[in-house]
Structures are given as C-alpha cells and as structure tokens.
Amino acid sequence: MARYVLKRDPSAVPDKLTRYAAELNEEQLRVVTAKPGASLVIAGAGSGKTRAITYRVAYLLEHGVSPQRILLATFTNRASREMLRRVEGLTGSQNVHRVWGGTFHRIANLILRRHATSIGFDSNYTILDSEDARDLITICIDDAAIDTKRRRFPKSEVIQSIISFANNTDRTIEDVVLRQYPHFELLISQIDRVDRVYRTRKIERNLMDYDDLLIHWKRLLVEKPAIADLYSEQIQHILVDEYQDTNRLQAEIIDLLAVKHRNVMVVGDDAQSIFAWRGAEFTNIYEFPKRYPEAVTFKLETNYRSTPEILALANTSIAGNRKQFPKALNAVRRSRDTKPALVACSDVEQQSVFVASRILELRDEGTSLEEMAVIYRSHYHSIELQLELTRRGIPYRVQSGVRFFEQAHIKDVISYLRIVVNPRDELAWKRVLKMIPGVGNATATRVYEQMMQLAPAEIGDKDGGRAITEGLVKIAANFRMKSPWHKFIVLMEMLVKPELRGSPAKQIELILTHGYEEYLLENYENAESRLEDLKGLALFASRYSSTEDLLGELALLSTERFKEPQPLVGEEVIEGAGEDELLTLTSVHQAKGLEWKSVFIISAAEGKFPSPRSLREIDSEEEERRLWYVALTRAKDELYITYPLLVTDFNRQSVLQKPSRFITECPAELFEVWNLEEEASVPDAPFEIGGKTQEYLN
C-alpha cells in the first residue's frame, strides 16, 4: 500500500494557537502540547482536566490531524458532546462531529454496525436495555431446565449482575461466584448453563446487551486482523477520560487500537479510583507505565476548587496510600482562614441537630441549599438526618434518587412491622406474602381475604397476634402450603409476641435471620449493601420502646412535599409552588465529579467510614481512603466532619465509637475542633467560628 504524507503550509496554522499559553496554566499547556506518543495525565481533583482534554483535541485538529483519526472516549455521552462543542468553538471547525467521540459503548456500536456480519450478527441487531436483558435471562433460566423451586435459584437480576461482572473483568462465572457470591457455590454449574443459553439466545435472535457491545468490539479486533488493521491505522490519536474508572475489557480495547501509533493519552486520577465493586480496575491506571514504558507522565496539581486548608487535609489524607502516583494539590484560591471543622457529637441525634442547625445558618448567611451537600459512606447513615430535616422543613434531594425509607428492601421489612401493628393492613400483607416462594398476586389476595374471613373481629384486637397465627395455620392446611409457608408462620408467631412489641429492633433482627437475609441474597445484586442498610435500620429502631412509635416516626417522611422542581400545575398555583432549592444528600460514590460550597461528611467513625464490609478484602483500605479523599475534595469553601461518640446497639446499650482512622492519621492542627453544648433555648449571640464553642438547640 502506497502512503502519501500531506504537507501543509505553516502559515495556514490558525493564530488561535498563540492563545493557548494565555488560556492554560503551565501544567495544562504541557499536556495540550505534548509530543505524539503515550501519555499518562494524573489530574488531581478540581485541576481542570476537562479543559486540558478539550484543548488537546483542538490542538491536534489545528495541527492538521483529521477529526476521523481522533478517538475521544468518555464515561458519558454528554461529557463528550460538551467537550466537542467547546472544541468547535476553539477551532471554528465544522467537522468536529467526525471525531470518534462518546462512551466506549457508543463507539463500539458505531463500529459494530459496520462489521456485525463478521461475527455472526446482522447489522440491524437490537440493543437490549437492562430491563429487557433481565427478562431474557428469566426466559433462559426456564430454557436451561433449572428447577428453581426445588432449590431456590437466584433471580434474573442477580444472574445478570454475575454475568456482567464476569464479562467486564474477564473472569469466569465460577471465579465471580466464589469471590463475590459464595452462597451460590453449589449452583455454579447451573448459573454457567444459564449464561451459555443466554449467549446462544442473543446470537439466534440478533440481540446484544450493553456488555456485548464491548465484548464483540474486542472480538473484532482480536479475531479479524483485517478489521483490526483498518482501525489501528485509521485512529491515530486516542484520548481516554476518567481512565481510573475503566475496566479490564475497556483497557484491552484501547491497547488493541493503539498498537500501531501508540499515541494514547489517558487522563484520570488514581486517587479517585473508587468503583472496584462494579468492575473498575485500579491497575489500569497504576500499571499504565508498565504497558507503555515510553509513556510520559504529566501531573495537573493546580486546584481551582477548594481552599488551601481543605487541600492541606486532602493531601495529607491520601498520602497514607502506598499504591499511588504521589502528588500534592496546590490551591489557586486564597485562604479563608477557616480550617475544616471536626465536630464530635454525643450521638447520631445530636449529629443530625448540628448539621440541620448549621445548614439553616449558612442559608441565612447567603449560601443556597443548592450549594450545600451532606456526604456519607453508606446510605443508612442518613436515617436520623432525613428525619431531622423533615421536622425542620428543610427540603432535600437524595442523589441516588431514592430516599432511605422508600427503598424496596426497607419497605419489605417495615411491611412485617406494619402487620404486627395493624393486622388489617392489606398492602403490607400482600407485599410480605409475595416474598414467599410460589406466591403471586392471586395467591396473596386469596390468603389475605381468607385471613379477614377467619377472624374478622379478633384480627383487629390487641391480642390480634394470636388470631394472626391461628389464621395462618388454618390457611396453610386449606391451601396445602409447603415448607416456605411454614417458615413464614414461625416467623410471624415470634413477631406478634407481646413482649416483642416493645422491641422493634429485635423484630427486625428476627425478620433478617428467619428468611429475609436469604431473600436478599437471591433477589438483589447488591445484597450485602442492602443488608448493611437493614442492620442500620435495626440500630435506629433500638431507640424506640414500641413498634407503633417507630412506625409513627417513619410516617413523618411520607408527608413530605419536597421534590425536584417541576412545571407548575393548577393545584400548586393555588397551594404555592414547590421549593426552588434543595439540599443534596449523597453517598460518596454518587458525589464523585460534583462540588459544593459547603460540605458535611457525617458518621466519620470507625466501623462507619471506612466501611467494615469493605475491609474484608485485600487493598480495600486504600480504596476506602480514596473514597475519603473524594469526599474531602468536593468542598469549595467550608468542610464539616462529624461523628457520634456513642451509638446504641440492638440491646439498647451505648457503645463508644472512635473517630475514623482517616481522621486520627492526620495532624490535629489541620482541623478546627468544634465543641457542642446543649442549651435550653436558641442562643441570642450570633454564631462565632474560630475555635470558640458553638451552641445549638437540641
């Protein structure tokens, strides 16, 4: 094949290049103007990495690289569109849309549409969304002739998670099950059979799920040399954003595409690699210099987001990790003479009171609720705070989209308690009954109607517990119910005992140990996280002396009107429009990539942050410290770190808590310690910072 190199008139290079030095800092300019070759860009939090990537693409275009020879891989299509829009503004080029830009899955789809026939698909294949994929897996479970009733088999959602994790991490089904789902060890051969049927069914019906887009893209590059040569030759420059979040499959695809030119620039922050649980491979960024020995490493360490005091804490915290590319964020912003506040609270209630009080003060001082966030390691840490915010009328959103008590597993367990308190609660009965294997809508309706007929008067009495158990026994005989039904009766017999009505925490424990924990494992792909939530719910319930009191408190949350801003409707015009601004409550994972003026990190105690569950695996502590670093670096102006000194266990005993190791491993002078004092009334004097005692109303 003959090659002809285009020679351009140097005078044709736009004058815009002369602006780069003025519009970029020195670190960014070195990245943007780097010579062709492999480059690793370690971009610290708030260091302007998006700006660097955008200008790099513009720089390549303005130096004569054709747009169709550039691949820009991002983790959202919106990020790619925004970058390319800015590139168009910088270059004035009308051909920027010809850049291979978007998520890995989008680019994979563009390529596979051209070459699907090479790997056994038609070019008009259908892409299954997650829900469609689950439905197909359900069909495949039936096709695999698995007796799901003889031995309770995981639901399609769990099977989907196992298969997806295996695909994205290049592991076998057996390896994934043994490492992450050991309770399904005896079912490995059956799960593997479902996977084989699922793969065959997709090929037969010309279907691909999201993972297949990457799997078959890699297949093209490995199994079809002519196609691989075409793209490795055409794609001259590769840029990958958020490289620390790539999985093994994505990194292998990039390596296959870069095999000829080796002009691959990966941008990310090893200190913000926090998604190992969903398949992200930390070693992709950490070992990049091993795969590309010629790679030049750049560091973006100039931070435009946070104050020097916040960055001093973040730098010191992340220094505790052994596996990392050392760097130190340097603040552009001036000091506000305010260190991160460290607030030890007597218990979780006082923690919630402090956070809510301080939020109201900041709001009065001019900081919008939209500019504030509360960050936590696990969702259940926000239980008490959500109640306190509701009592005070502070509107909020949960970044995950689902408030704690609205989650399916929480509502499942609370439904048992609702039956104990009100045995006529039809919705609670039907929700609980449908968790019994083999019970669907029709059976649940029949059972509930039978219950009401068997004991119409007694069922509502205070001694309704006896009527419940007697009724269930009769129905079991009438319907010839099998083993799972009898387990349910045993559980209900325990829950309705009068002595347990004063201990909702014990009731929740019984629900977990008598079937619901097993139900979680079989029905939810993130069962361990949900189980952690439920144990947190039990601890929360331990402070209530009756099940009725607990449910009454939770009912507060159901009366909220706080929602995302919506178009006005007639009723709202009369009643008054919804709140314009909302406080954000978010887990650390959901907070990544976001920023707020004022940030509260709550429950920063050992056993809470870091999560004890995460510390069971090798290298988990370092990932937990990276999570901590991400939480710290979300704050722009003010940072408050709180932890309760005492927690109540299931037996209503107070247990002393230590502050998180991530606090104690940092010098005390990096914090400003705030002492809380209870007072009978709101203090008349204005709040003072700077080491003086802060007083709050409980």
Side-chain angles (χ1 to χ4, degrees):
M1 178 187 296
R3 300 183 64 186
Y4 183 85
V5 180
L6 290 173
K7 298 179 180 60
R8 294 181 181 267
D9 180 357
S11 64
V13 177
D15 293 335
K16 291 179 182 178
L17 289 177
T18 61
R19 297 187 355 233
Y20 282 34
E23 296 178 2
L24 302 167
N25 65 34
E26 291 184 7
E27 296 169 345
Q28 295 167 339
L29 185 62
R30 284 195 290 270
V31 170
V32 169
T33 60
K35 294 180 180 179
S39 302
L40 170 62
V41 182
I42 303 300
S47 63
K49 72 174 177 63
T50 300
R51 187 176 185 83
I53 296 171
T54 301
Y55 275 74
R56 175 63 176 177
V57 175
Y59 182 85
L60 293 174
L61 292 173
E62 293 181 332
H63 275 73
V65 179
S66 298
Q68 63 265 34
R69 304 202 73 181
I70 299 173
L71 185 146
L72 172 61
T74 60
F75 268 78
T76 67
N77 287 314
R78 185 175 69 177
S80 173
R81 287 194 299 269
E82 177 60 20
M83 287 184 194
L84 294 179
R85 185 190 64 77
R86 290 164 64 179
V87 169
E88 185 173 356
L90 287 169
T91 63
S93 172
Q94 301 300 311
N95 295 321
V96 172
H97 67 279
R98 294 167 63 192
V99 170
W100 293 87
T103 63
F104 281 89
H105 295 86
R106 178 181 183 274
I107 298 169
N109 183 48
L110 292 174
I111 291 175
L112 288 172
R113 291 293 179 189
R114 300 178 178 185
H115 307 286
T117 53
S118 299
I119 53 172
F121 288 85
D122 293 332
S123 60
N124 64 338
Y125 60 81
T126 299
I127 300 174
L128 299 173
D129 61 23
S130 295
E131 184 177 354
D132 290 336
R134 280 197 299 273
D135 291 343
L136 182 57
I137 288 173
T138 300
I139 295 171
C140 293
I141 291 172
D142 293 336
D143 287 354
I146 293 172
D147 185 357
T148 57
K149 294 182 180 179
R150 188 177 64 84
R151 180 177 180 85
R152 293 179 69 166
F153 196 71
K155 291 291 189 290
S156 58
E157 181 180 0
V158 180
I159 297 295
Q160 180 185 36
S161 181
I162 293 171
I163 292 173
S164 180
F165 195 87
N167 288 336
N168 286 291
T169 58
D170 199 21
R171 296 178 182 171
T172 63
I173 294 291
E174 180 179 13
D175 186 34
V176 171
V177 171
L178 291 176
R179 285 173 181 243
Q180 296 184 250
Y181 302 84
H183 43 283
F184 294 140
E185 181 178 357
L186 297 178
L187 300 173
I188 288 175
S189 60
Q190 294 171 294
I191 295 172
D192 198 52
R193 187 158 77 245
V194 172
D195 180 37
R196 292 196 302 271
V197 173
Y198 180 53
R199 279 185 275 128
T200 301
R201 180 67 71 97
K202 285 184 291 185
I203 294 173
E204 291 174 348
R205 285 155 177 72
N206 203 34
L207 305 171
M208 290 190 200
D209 61 24
Y210 292 139
D211 294 336
D212 289 328
L213 294 172
L214 301 184
I215 291 169
H216 295 314
W217 186 10
K218 180 185 172 183
R219 276 186 61 201
L220 273 176
L221 299 176
V222 172
E223 299 175 7
K224 306 298 176 184
I227 296 175
D229 288 344
L230 172 69
Y231 287 101
S232 62
E233 174 61 39
Q234 178 185 342
I235 298 174
Q236 185 178 353
H237 289 271
I238 300 173
L239 297 94
V240 186
D241 189 19
E242 302 285 10
Y243 190 68
Q244 79 280 349
D245 293 334
T246 55
N247 58 41
R248 181 172 299 183
L249 185 55
Q250 290 165 330
E252 288 173 346
I253 289 170
I254 293 300
D255 290 347
L256 289 167
L257 290 171
V259 68
K260 284 194 176 180
H261 300 292
R262 295 184 73 81
N263 293 333
V264 54
M265 176 179 281
V266 298
V267 184
D269 185 1
D270 57 301
Q272 297 188 67
S273 179
I274 60 173
F275 293 111
W277 55 276
R278 70 181 188 195
E281 188 71 57
F282 173 73
T283 56
N284 286 349
I285 191 167
Y286 187 64
E287 296 181 355
F288 184 82
K290 292 182 180 179
R291 301 204 312 280
Y292 294 83
E294 76 278 20
V296 178
T297 300
F298 300 90
K299 293 182 180 180
L300 300 181
E301 298 176 294
T302 303
N303 178 280
Y304 294 89
R305 175 185 299 156
S306 306
T307 63
E309 291 79 11
I310 292 171
L311 294 186
L313 179 59
N315 286 333
T316 304
S317 292
I318 199 61
N321 273 7
R322 293 173 294 106
K323 290 184 177 180
Q324 64 168 308
F325 296 106
K327 64 179 178 301
L329 295 177
N330 303 305
V332 169
R333 298 181 57 200
R334 293 181 179 179
S335 170
R336 289 170 53 92
D337 295 323
T338 304
K339 296 178 182 178
L342 180 60
V343 189
C345 306
S346 60
D347 50 29
V348 288
E349 283 86 0
Q350 191 183 61
Q351 177 179 253
S352 299
V353 169
F354 165 73
V355 172
S357 298
R358 188 65 186 138
I359 284 168
L360 289 175
E361 291 169 17
L362 291 170
R363 179 68 181 79
D364 289 342
E365 293 167 9
T367 302
S368 164
L369 291 179
E370 292 288 341
E371 289 288 347
M372 291 185 261
V374 180
I375 299 178
Y376 37 80
R377 174 62 183 87
S378 298
H379 202 31
Y380 76 88
H381 296 163
S382 69
I383 299 175
E384 293 82 6
L385 180 60
Q386 289 192 36
L387 287 166
E388 184 65 23
L389 294 173
T390 301
R391 292 189 194 104
R392 294 186 181 227
I394 302 174
Y396 66 93
R397 71 168 64 84
V398 178
Q399 192 66 31
S400 64
V402 182
R403 298 185 179 208
F404 185 82
F405 294 104
E406 294 172 355
Q407 298 175 102
H409 56 295
I410 302 297
K411 294 179 75 171
D412 286 345
V413 170
I414 289 174
S415 290
Y416 283 96
L417 304 185
R418 285 170 53 183
I419 291 172
V420 172
V421 171
N422 175 18
R424 294 182 178 278
D425 190 328
E426 181 177 2
L427 294 178
W429 267 111
K430 289 183 177 179
R431 188 178 188 102
V432 165
L433 289 168
K434 285 190 288 187
M435 286 187 266
I436 302 173
V439 175
N441 286 323
T443 302
T445 298
R446 288 165 57 205
V447 169
Y448 174 76
E449 290 174 349
Q450 284 281 313
M451 284 291 296
M452 295 303 104
Q453 291 173 8
L454 286 171
E458 296 88 344
I459 202 88
D461 294 345
K462 287 193 175 181
D463 191 30
R466 179 182 55 79
I468 289 174
T469 54
E470 289 178 359
L472 289 174
V473 170
K474 291 178 183 177
I475 292 170
N478 294 343
F479 285 74
R480 297 181 181 179
M481 299 293 191
K482 297 182 180 178
S483 177
W485 180 260
H486 294 296
K487 290 181 181 178
F488 173 65
I489 294 176
V490 170
L491 171 59
M492 293 305 300
E493 285 176 342
M494 291 188 287
L495 292 180
V496 298
K497 288 180 179 178
E499 59 268 27
L500 281 183
R501 292 286 284 271
S503 182
K506 289 284 179 65
Q507 290 175 317
I508 293 171
E509 280 187 83
L510 286 171
I511 294 166
L512 292 178
T513 56
H514 286 73
Y516 193 76
E517 185 171 346
E518 183 181 0
Y519 178 84
L520 272 180
L521 295 171
E522 293 167 353
N523 289 274
Y524 296 107
E525 86 286 358
N526 54 346
E528 283 203 2
S529 175
R530 292 176 187 257
L531 182 59
E532 194 175 76
D533 281 348
L534 290 167
K535 289 179 178 178
L537 175 65
L539 285 174
F540 173 75
S542 64
R543 73 198 62 180
Y544 293 93
S545 57
S546 74
T547 311
E548 290 89 341
D549 289 346
L550 171 64
L551 294 179
E553 186 80 340
L554 301 189
L556 268 176
L557 294 177
S558 66
T559 65
E560 296 173 352
R561 291 190 67 251
F562 311 139
K563 299 178 181 178
E564 296 289 342
Q566 301 284 341
L568 292 179
V569 296
E571 291 82 354
E572 289 177 328
V573 172
I574 296 172
E575 296 177 6
E579 300 288 343
D580 290 329
E581 55 184 85
L582 299 171
L583 171 72
T584 296
L585 306 188
T586 177
S587 68
V588 189
H589 287 102
Q590 294 282 344
K592 185 174 177 293
L594 303 175
E595 60 182 34
W596 296 270
K597 283 186 178 179
S598 301
V599 167
F600 297 79
I601 302 174
I602 63 172
S603 293
E606 279 294 291
K608 298 291 190 293
F609 200 158
S611 161
R613 173 172 52 89
S614 65
L615 295 178
R616 294 202 298 259
E617 300 173 6
I618 299 172
D619 293 333
S620 290
E621 182 175 339
E622 297 219 341
E623 175 143 338
E624 287 290 303
R625 190 174 283 104
R626 294 194 292 269
L627 271 168
W628 179 255
Y629 175 81
V630 167
L632 296 177
T633 54
R634 299 311 93 198
K636 296 194 287 187
D637 295 349
E638 298 185 54
L639 176 63
Y640 302 86
I641 300 171
T642 70
Y643 64 95
L645 290 168
L646 295 173
V647 293
T648 304
D649 64 14
F650 300 116
N651 298 312
R652 297 188 191 173
Q653 300 296 312
S654 294
V655 179
L656 186 64
Q657 282 198 140
K658 297 179 181 178
S660 167
R661 67 189 67 184
F662 302 144
I663 294 174
T664 57
E665 67 190 12
C666 293
E669 57 265 25
L670 293 177
F671 301 98
E672 179 179 74
V673 177
W674 286 28
N675 299 309
L676 304 184
E677 287 187 3
E678 299 288 354
E679 191 171 80
S681 60
V682 178
D684 295 326
F687 285 88
E688 297 181 75
I689 308 179
K692 296 185 179 180
T693 298
Q694 310 300 304
E695 298 175 344
Y696 292 88
L697 170 66
N698 188 359

